[in-house]
Amino acid sequence: MKAFLGSMTGRVFLVLLLGIVASAALTQWLAVNERSRALERYRDFHALERAEQLITTADAMPDSARPTFLVAAARGTVRLELSDAPQAQTLAPTEFSTALQQRLGAGFKLGPLAEHLAACDQPRQTTSIFASSQWRGTCEAINIYLHDGQVLKLSVLPPRAPPAASTNSELVSLLPFLLSIAFLAYLVARMSMRPLKQLAQAAKDLGNDINHPQVVLSGAAEIRQASAAFNAMQARIRQHITQRTQMLAAITHDLQTPLTRLRLRLEKVGDKELQQRLIDDLSAMQQMVKEGLDLARSMDSTETMQALDLDALLDSVCSDATDTGQQVELRGRAAMALMGRPLAIRRCLVNLIDNAVKYGHYANVKVERLAGSSRISIRDGGPGIAPEQMARVFEPFYRIETSRSRESGGTGLGLTIARNIAEQHGANVTLANHQDGGLEVTLVLPEYYVGN
């Protein structure tokens, strides 16, 4: 659930759901309050009519029958009874007393009392979580002066509470509505995010294979426009890489012939010391041309991707290195499949191991399984690299003079080639000085799952 809410689909779903629920709650609150106000107005109108009937009836009755009538009139929410404070100070006319005075006429005198009825503050039982728990309609006491001078008190109280309803009844009734909203929000979120996921997958596929088929133009106009722009970008990147690779390969290939002629002509140089120096320089140039050609090949993504057994590949590379006299030791097992280009991955591993043996005398290779990936650590016995030069050693033709000079055969392309190949396979290469000495190169390769 946390992963879902952390994704773009989850966030859009959450925003839509909260927005719709908040809008529905606001609408329900407005509707319930409007209904409450309508009920209050209707109740006030009914109270006016009831009060008018009680007062006019009491005024028309003879004194002998009035007490019996008042016993019956002192019940309900509109009550008429003998005033217990006939000389009490009255307040200014209220809205209710003014309306009642207009109905009764000038023959009656009304005096709103300052008495605060306890029933006005009692909370109401509501059937909605949006309804107010306090009665906001008329709730007051008024002294009524009849024609014969008798003073009666009219009390207008809140309506009786409705039958108690279950506290969960409204939530239960809202549950289907909330579920339908959640389903709709999820559907809209998925429809909105699906094109973005397709573009993200296309970008991932492009990183792994520059010749991956282009994105199919479908969906809304904006999505088709974005897909077309992505396809155009892919075409430009492919053209740029192809041109650069072809240019580098052509230069390095064409240099082979004049360099070979130079080597043959150097055999005729009489000065043996000068001859050896020239041959050494020529050998360094040839090595640089060879690795330049390897660099061009490392950027070539035409080799077919296939599932590889990482343990078998590592065992083969380390065995070949041992057979050539290199001190290489392999420990651990990944027990996982890797999706990659066999020759490219092999070249990446060979470069890293050769680099360790050349400058650190030996290579201790350790492989371990991680969650969804494998980590290959290659540690050597060299002096390590200064922290400020960790990033620069991946630059083409960069060499650390104290340990990677031309005399030792380095051209500064080995790590560049290895990183290019790793990035094409969604992997990464990092360097670190080991706490016990030597440089440790770490290669993290993603696992291949059938069906991906």
Side-chain angles (χ1 to χ4, degrees):
M1 185 64 180
K2 184 177 180 180
F4 172 73
L5 294 179
S7 65
M8 182 61 72
T9 302
R11 293 177 182 178
V12 172
F13 165 75
L14 193 60
V15 170
L16 285 175
L17 181 61
L18 292 179
I20 297 175
V21 169
S23 299
L26 178 60
T27 302
Q28 183 71 6
W29 179 78
L30 292 174
V32 169
N33 278 268
E34 180 59 31
R35 184 178 62 187
S36 298
R37 283 193 294 269
L39 290 174
E40 289 165 4
R41 290 193 295 267
Y42 174 78
R43 173 66 176 79
D44 290 348
F45 176 77
H46 172 74
L48 276 175
E49 290 191 333
R50 177 65 175 166
E52 180 186 7
Q53 293 174 359
L54 291 176
I55 294 171
T56 53
T57 303
D59 185 66
M61 279 188 173
D63 294 343
S64 58
R66 189 175 294 169
T68 305
F69 171 74
L70 291 178
V71 172
R75 301 173 182 173
T77 56
V78 180
R79 302 175 181 178
L80 188 63
E81 55 192 342
L82 290 174
S83 177
D84 51 1
Q87 303 300 325
Q89 184 180 359
T90 59
L91 303 176
T94 62
E95 182 179 353
F96 182 82
S97 65
T98 302
L100 183 58
Q101 182 71 69
Q102 291 175 354
R103 283 174 168 266
L104 295 174
F108 294 88
K109 182 182 176 182
L110 279 64
L113 298 174
E115 176 184 355
H116 187 74
L117 303 177
C120 298
D121 297 329
Q122 293 180 355
R124 301 173 57 213
Q125 291 183 352
T126 60
T127 58
S128 173
I129 59 176
F130 300 98
S132 174
S133 61
Q134 200 71 31
W135 174 252
R136 296 173 298 184
T138 300
C139 185
E140 58 185 83
I142 305 173
N143 269 349
I144 310 295
Y145 299 90
L146 302 180
H147 288 92
D148 58 4
Q150 188 173 20
V151 182
L152 303 179
K153 184 174 76 170
L154 176 70
S155 300
V156 182
L157 305 176
R160 295 186 180 90
S166 173
T167 56
N168 298 324
S169 59
E170 187 172 38
L171 294 178
V172 171
S173 63
L174 286 176
L175 186 59
F177 173 71
L178 294 176
L179 290 177
S180 62
I181 286 180
F183 175 75
L184 179 62
Y186 178 73
L187 188 63
V188 172
R190 286 205 56 176
M191 290 176 60
S192 302
M193 292 300 106
R194 186 182 296 114
L196 293 181
K197 288 184 178 180
Q198 292 175 348
L199 284 177
Q201 184 61 41
K204 181 179 178 180
D205 295 337
L206 176 62
N208 294 331
D209 182 9
I210 192 63
N211 296 311
H212 193 273
Q214 293 187 338
V215 180
V216 178
L217 302 182
S218 61
E222 293 81 2
I223 300 301
R224 292 198 302 271
Q225 183 178 1
S227 300
F230 184 88
N231 290 337
M233 178 193 69
Q234 179 181 358
R236 288 194 297 268
I237 293 175
R238 185 190 298 121
Q239 182 181 13
H240 173 71
I241 293 178
T242 301
Q243 290 176 349
R244 188 180 69 168
T245 304
Q246 290 175 348
M247 179 180 66
L248 182 59
I251 292 174
T252 54
H253 181 271
D254 291 344
L255 282 175
Q256 297 281 6
T257 301
L259 289 176
T260 303
R261 288 200 302 265
L262 280 174
R263 178 175 287 276
L264 294 176
R265 290 171 182 172
L266 284 177
E267 300 294 335
K268 300 177 182 180
V269 175
D271 188 338
K272 296 299 182 182
E273 182 179 356
L274 176 62
Q275 181 188 55
Q276 187 60 44
R277 290 181 179 177
L278 292 175
I279 289 176
D280 290 342
D281 288 341
L282 185 60
S283 297
M285 292 177 63
Q286 287 180 318
Q287 181 66 21
M288 188 177 298
V289 169
K290 176 181 177 299
E291 293 198 12
L293 189 58
D294 289 339
L295 178 62
R297 292 194 185 104
S298 72
M299 294 181 289
D300 182 18
S301 58
T302 56
E303 187 183 358
T304 304
M305 299 278 286
Q306 56 184 281
L308 306 173
D309 186 337
L310 182 58
D311 291 322
L313 182 61
L314 269 174
D315 185 68
S316 173
V317 171
C318 292
S319 296
D320 290 346
T322 303
D323 291 342
T324 58
Q326 294 179 332
Q327 187 177 347
V328 179
E329 179 186 357
L330 174 62
R331 293 182 294 119
R333 290 185 61 82
M336 62 166 258
L338 166 70
M339 192 68 178
R341 302 179 181 89
L343 295 180
I345 290 293
R346 187 179 186 86
R347 185 181 301 121
C348 174
L349 294 172
V350 167
N351 279 13
L352 294 178
I353 292 176
D354 285 348
N355 197 71
V357 173
K358 185 181 297 183
Y359 306 114
H361 312 298
Y362 63 84
N364 288 336
V365 183
K366 178 183 177 182
V367 58
E368 54 187 332
R369 177 77 172 271
L370 301 177
S373 62
S374 66
R375 180 169 60 195
I376 302 172
S377 302
I378 304 174
R379 181 189 167 196
D380 61 35
I385 299 177
E388 62 272 11
Q389 292 181 316
M390 289 289 186
R392 296 201 62 191
V393 295
F394 287 107
E395 298 176 5
F397 303 107
Y398 180 80
R399 294 179 303 276
I400 301 176
E401 295 302 329
T402 57
S403 61
R404 288 164 170 78
S405 62
R406 281 197 174 96
E407 285 73 13
S408 63
T411 60
L413 289 176
L415 288 178
T416 304
I417 294 171
R419 185 183 63 175
N420 286 347
I421 295 173
E423 289 179 347
Q424 288 179 4
H425 291 79
N428 61 74
V429 181
T430 57
L431 305 179
N433 291 319
H434 197 274
Q435 58 182 0
D436 296 330
L439 181 69
E440 186 175 56
V441 182
T442 302
L443 174 65
V444 178
L445 293 163
E447 184 173 4
Y448 167 67
Y449 296 97
V450 178
N452 283 7

